[in-house]
PDB file of all heavy atoms in Angstrom:
ATOM      1  N   SER Y  65     -35.940  97.720 154.718  1.00 96.00           N
ATOM      2  CA  SER Y  65     -35.711  99.064 155.247  1.00 96.00           C
ATOM      3  C   SER Y  65     -34.351  99.615 154.883  1.00 96.00           C
ATOM      4  O   SER Y  65     -33.357  98.907 154.987  1.00 96.00           O
ATOM      5  CB  SER Y  65     -35.704  98.980 156.772  1.00 96.00           C
ATOM      6  OG  SER Y  65     -36.921  99.281 157.255  1.00 96.00           O
ATOM      7  N   TYR Y  66     -34.319 100.876 154.505  1.00 98.00           N
ATOM      8  CA  TYR Y  66     -33.039 101.570 154.288  1.00 98.00           C
ATOM      9  C   TYR Y  66     -33.054 102.806 155.163  1.00 98.00           C
ATOM     10  O   TYR Y  66     -33.750 103.781 154.857  1.00 98.00           O
ATOM     11  CB  TYR Y  66     -32.869 101.938 152.816  1.00 98.00           C
ATOM     12  CG  TYR Y  66     -32.770 100.730 151.938  1.00 98.00           C
ATOM     13  CD1 TYR Y  66     -33.922 100.118 151.426  1.00 98.00           C
ATOM     14  CD2 TYR Y  66     -31.538 100.151 151.633  1.00 98.00           C
ATOM     15  CE1 TYR Y  66     -33.853  98.981 150.641  1.00 98.00           C
ATOM     16  CE2 TYR Y  66     -31.454  99.013 150.853  1.00 98.00           C
ATOM     17  CZ  TYR Y  66     -32.614  98.441 150.365  1.00 98.00           C
ATOM     18  OH  TYR Y  66     -32.533  97.306 149.597  1.00 98.00           O
ATOM     19  N   GLU Y  67     -32.366 102.731 156.297  1.00 97.00           N
ATOM     20  CA  GLU Y  67     -32.303 103.889 157.198  1.00 97.00           C
ATOM     21  C   GLU Y  67     -30.967 104.579 156.971  1.00 97.00           C
ATOM     22  O   GLU Y  67     -29.925 104.104 157.406  1.00 97.00           O
ATOM     23  CB  GLU Y  67     -32.460 103.428 158.646  1.00 97.00           C
ATOM     24  CG  GLU Y  67     -33.908 103.131 158.981  1.00 97.00           C
ATOM     25  CD  GLU Y  67     -34.109 102.130 160.094  1.00 97.00           C
ATOM     26  OE1 GLU Y  67     -33.222 101.991 160.942  1.00 97.00           O
ATOM     27  OE2 GLU Y  67     -35.167 101.473 160.080  1.00 97.00           O
ATOM     28  N   LEU Y  68     -31.007 105.669 156.218  1.00 98.00           N
ATOM     29  CA  LEU Y  68     -29.767 106.326 155.798  1.00 98.00           C
ATOM     30  C   LEU Y  68     -29.485 107.523 156.702  1.00 98.00           C
ATOM     31  O   LEU Y  68     -30.416 108.203 157.157  1.00 98.00           O
ATOM     32  CB  LEU Y  68     -29.885 106.801 154.348  1.00 98.00           C
ATOM     33  CG  LEU Y  68     -30.343 105.745 153.326  1.00 98.00           C
ATOM     34  CD1 LEU Y  68     -30.414 106.364 151.935  1.00 98.00           C
ATOM     35  CD2 LEU Y  68     -29.401 104.548 153.308  1.00 98.00           C
ATOM     36  N   PRO Y  69     -28.187 107.802 156.943  1.00 97.00           N
ATOM     37  CA  PRO Y  69     -27.868 108.951 157.801  1.00 97.00           C
ATOM     38  C   PRO Y  69     -28.230 110.285 157.139  1.00 97.00           C
ATOM     39  O   PRO Y  69     -28.310 110.384 155.909  1.00 97.00           O
ATOM     40  CB  PRO Y  69     -26.352 108.841 157.985  1.00 97.00           C
ATOM     41  CG  PRO Y  69     -25.872 107.940 156.902  1.00 97.00           C
ATOM     42  CD  PRO Y  69     -27.009 107.065 156.488  1.00 97.00           C
ATOM     43  N   GLU Y  70     -28.454 111.290 157.972  1.00 97.00           N
ATOM     44  CA  GLU Y  70     -28.828 112.652 157.558  1.00 97.00           C
ATOM     45  C   GLU Y  70     -27.879 113.196 156.474  1.00 97.00           C
ATOM     46  O   GLU Y  70     -28.291 113.896 155.551  1.00 97.00           O
ATOM     47  CB  GLU Y  70     -28.771 113.536 158.830  1.00 97.00           C
ATOM     48  CG  GLU Y  70     -29.088 114.984 158.644  1.00 97.00           C
ATOM     49  CD  GLU Y  70     -30.591 115.258 158.693  1.00 97.00           C
ATOM     50  OE1 GLU Y  70     -31.332 114.439 159.264  1.00 97.00           O
ATOM     51  OE2 GLU Y  70     -30.993 116.309 158.145  1.00 97.00           O
ATOM     52  N   GLU Y  71     -26.577 112.836 156.571  1.00 98.00           N
ATOM     53  CA  GLU Y  71     -25.601 113.431 155.645  1.00 98.00           C
ATOM     54  C   GLU Y  71     -25.483 112.665 154.316  1.00 98.00           C
ATOM     55  O   GLU Y  71     -24.620 112.982 153.489  1.00 98.00           O
ATOM     56  CB  GLU Y  71     -24.230 113.596 156.330  1.00 98.00           C
ATOM     57  CG  GLU Y  71     -23.599 112.377 156.963  1.00 98.00           C
ATOM     58  CD  GLU Y  71     -24.170 111.982 158.345  1.00 98.00           C
ATOM     59  OE1 GLU Y  71     -25.128 112.640 158.826  1.00 98.00           O
ATOM     60  OE2 GLU Y  71     -23.681 110.998 158.920  1.00 98.00           O
ATOM     61  N   THR Y  72     -26.378 111.701 154.089  1.00 98.00           N
ATOM     62  CA  THR Y  72     -26.407 110.990 152.802  1.00 98.00           C
ATOM     63  C   THR Y  72     -26.479 112.011 151.666  1.00 98.00           C
ATOM     64  O   THR Y  72     -27.267 112.972 151.744  1.00 98.00           O
ATOM     65  CB  THR Y  72     -27.659 110.074 152.740  1.00 98.00           C
ATOM     66  OG1 THR Y  72     -27.589 109.181 153.836  1.00 98.00           O
ATOM     67  CG2 THR Y  72     -27.745 109.300 151.441  1.00 98.00           C
ATOM     68  N   THR Y  73     -25.683 111.812 150.621  1.00 98.00           N
ATOM     69  CA  THR Y  73     -25.734 112.786 149.513  1.00 98.00           C
ATOM     70  C   THR Y  73     -26.893 112.447 148.581  1.00 98.00           C
ATOM     71  O   THR Y  73     -27.393 111.319 148.581  1.00 98.00           O
ATOM     72  CB  THR Y  73     -24.420 112.772 148.688  1.00 98.00           C
ATOM     73  OG1 THR Y  73     -24.315 111.492 148.050  1.00 98.00           O
ATOM     74  CG2 THR Y  73     -23.203 113.032 149.552  1.00 98.00           C
ATOM     75  N   GLU Y  74     -27.268 113.455 147.802  1.00 98.00           N
ATOM     76  CA  GLU Y  74     -28.349 113.246 146.824  1.00 98.00           C
ATOM     77  C   GLU Y  74     -27.985 112.096 145.884  1.00 98.00           C
ATOM     78  O   GLU Y  74     -28.809 111.233 145.577  1.00 98.00           O
ATOM     79  CB  GLU Y  74     -28.533 114.553 146.044  1.00 98.00           C
ATOM     80  CG  GLU Y  74     -29.695 114.530 145.093  1.00 98.00           C
ATOM     81  CD  GLU Y  74     -29.818 115.870 144.385  1.00 98.00           C
ATOM     82  OE1 GLU Y  74     -30.386 116.796 144.978  1.00 98.00           O
ATOM     83  OE2 GLU Y  74     -29.332 115.977 143.241  1.00 98.00           O
ATOM     84  N   GLN Y  75     -26.707 112.086 145.448  1.00 98.00           N
ATOM     85  CA  GLN Y  75     -26.287 111.052 144.499  1.00 98.00           C
ATOM     86  C   GLN Y  75     -26.368 109.656 145.113  1.00 98.00           C
ATOM     87  O   GLN Y  75     -26.809 108.700 144.457  1.00 98.00           O
ATOM     88  CB  GLN Y  75     -24.843 111.340 144.004  1.00 98.00           C
ATOM     89  CG  GLN Y  75     -24.458 110.538 142.769  1.00 98.00           C
ATOM     90  CD  GLN Y  75     -25.483 110.669 141.621  1.00 98.00           C
ATOM     91  OE1 GLN Y  75     -25.856 111.773 141.237  1.00 98.00           O
ATOM     92  NE2 GLN Y  75     -25.972 109.539 141.104  1.00 98.00           N
ATOM     93  N   GLU Y  76     -25.992 109.553 146.394  1.00 98.00           N
ATOM     94  CA  GLU Y  76     -26.084 108.225 147.051  1.00 98.00           C
ATOM     95  C   GLU Y  76     -27.532 107.743 147.083  1.00 98.00           C
ATOM     96  O   GLU Y  76     -27.817 106.564 146.837  1.00 98.00           O
ATOM     97  CB  GLU Y  76     -25.519 108.313 148.484  1.00 98.00           C
ATOM     98  CG  GLU Y  76     -23.999 108.336 148.519  1.00 98.00           C
ATOM     99  CD  GLU Y  76     -23.432 108.736 149.893  1.00 98.00           C
ATOM    100  OE1 GLU Y  76     -24.112 109.419 150.688  1.00 98.00           O
ATOM    101  OE2 GLU Y  76     -22.274 108.366 150.147  1.00 98.00           O
ATOM    102  N   LEU Y  77     -28.445 108.672 147.357  1.00 98.00           N
ATOM    103  CA  LEU Y  77     -29.869 108.298 147.406  1.00 98.00           C
ATOM    104  C   LEU Y  77     -30.359 107.910 146.003  1.00 98.00           C
ATOM    105  O   LEU Y  77     -31.053 106.898 145.830  1.00 98.00           O
ATOM    106  CB  LEU Y  77     -30.675 109.468 147.976  1.00 98.00           C
ATOM    107  CG  LEU Y  77     -32.181 109.258 148.100  1.00 98.00           C
ATOM    108  CD1 LEU Y  77     -32.514 108.022 148.943  1.00 98.00           C
ATOM    109  CD2 LEU Y  77     -32.849 110.483 148.719  1.00 98.00           C
ATOM    110  N   LEU Y  78     -29.968 108.686 144.996  1.00 98.00           N
ATOM    111  CA  LEU Y  78     -30.395 108.380 143.626  1.00 98.00           C
ATOM    112  C   LEU Y  78     -29.832 107.028 143.175  1.00 98.00           C
ATOM    113  O   LEU Y  78     -30.506 106.264 142.483  1.00 98.00           O
ATOM    114  CB  LEU Y  78     -29.933 109.491 142.661  1.00 98.00           C
ATOM    115  CG  LEU Y  78     -30.606 110.857 142.872  1.00 98.00           C
ATOM    116  CD1 LEU Y  78     -29.967 111.924 141.986  1.00 98.00           C
ATOM    117  CD2 LEU Y  78     -32.110 110.775 142.589  1.00 98.00           C
ATOM    118  N   ASP Y  79     -28.591 106.719 143.606  1.00 98.00           N
ATOM    119  CA  ASP Y  79     -27.981 105.425 143.251  1.00 98.00           C
ATOM    120  C   ASP Y  79     -28.760 104.271 143.881  1.00 98.00           C
ATOM    121  O   ASP Y  79     -28.986 103.241 143.245  1.00 98.00           O
ATOM    122  CB  ASP Y  79     -26.512 105.369 143.715  1.00 98.00           C
ATOM    123  CG  ASP Y  79     -25.621 106.280 142.877  1.00 98.00           C
ATOM    124  OD1 ASP Y  79     -26.078 106.731 141.804  1.00 98.00           O
ATOM    125  OD2 ASP Y  79     -24.474 106.564 143.306  1.00 98.00           O
ATOM    126  N   LEU Y  80     -29.161 104.464 145.147  1.00 98.00           N
ATOM    127  CA  LEU Y  80     -29.934 103.408 145.818  1.00 98.00           C
ATOM    128  C   LEU Y  80     -31.259 103.183 145.083  1.00 98.00           C
ATOM    129  O   LEU Y  80     -31.662 102.043 144.821  1.00 98.00           O
ATOM    130  CB  LEU Y  80     -30.199 103.802 147.288  1.00 98.00           C
ATOM    131  CG  LEU Y  80     -31.190 102.898 148.040  1.00 98.00           C
ATOM    132  CD1 LEU Y  80     -30.670 101.453 148.143  1.00 98.00           C
ATOM    133  CD2 LEU Y  80     -31.486 103.448 149.434  1.00 98.00           C
ATOM    134  N   ILE Y  81     -31.931 104.298 144.728  1.00 98.00           N
ATOM    135  CA  ILE Y  81     -33.225 104.165 144.033  1.00 98.00           C
ATOM    136  C   ILE Y  81     -33.033 103.471 142.675  1.00 98.00           C
ATOM    137  O   ILE Y  81     -33.824 102.599 142.303  1.00 98.00           O
ATOM    138  CB  ILE Y  81     -33.919 105.544 143.893  1.00 98.00           C
ATOM    139  CG1 ILE Y  81     -34.338 106.009 145.300  1.00 98.00           C
ATOM    140  CG2 ILE Y  81     -35.120 105.483 142.961  1.00 98.00           C
ATOM    141  CD1 ILE Y  81     -34.858 107.422 145.386  1.00 98.00           C
ATOM    142  N   ALA Y  82     -31.947 103.818 141.977  1.00 98.00           N
ATOM    143  CA  ALA Y  82     -31.685 103.171 140.678  1.00 98.00           C
ATOM    144  C   ALA Y  82     -31.521 101.656 140.875  1.00 98.00           C
ATOM    145  O   ALA Y  82     -32.043 100.853 140.087  1.00 98.00           O
ATOM    146  CB  ALA Y  82     -30.434 103.772 140.044  1.00 98.00           C
ATOM    147  N   LYS Y  83     -30.829 101.293 141.942  1.00 98.00           N
ATOM    148  CA  LYS Y  83     -30.631  99.860 142.229  1.00 98.00           C
ATOM    149  C   LYS Y  83     -31.980  99.180 142.510  1.00 98.00           C
ATOM    150  O   LYS Y  83     -32.275  98.102 141.988  1.00 98.00           O
ATOM    151  CB  LYS Y  83     -29.689  99.730 143.449  1.00 98.00           C
ATOM    152  CG  LYS Y  83     -29.158  98.334 143.675  1.00 98.00           C
ATOM    153  CD  LYS Y  83     -28.299  98.253 144.917  1.00 98.00           C
ATOM    154  CE  LYS Y  83     -29.161  97.788 146.064  1.00 98.00           C
ATOM    155  NZ  LYS Y  83     -28.664  97.679 147.346  1.00 98.00           N
TER     156      LYS Y  83
END
Side-chain angles (χ1 to χ4, degrees):
S65 264
Y66 295 87
E67 282 154 26
L68 308 180
E70 179 85 22
E71 54 282 3
T72 302
T73 65
E74 185 179 279
Q75 195 52 51
E76 283 167 336
L77 180 56
L78 293 173
D79 289 346
L80 170 62
I81 292 172
K83 193 183 95 183

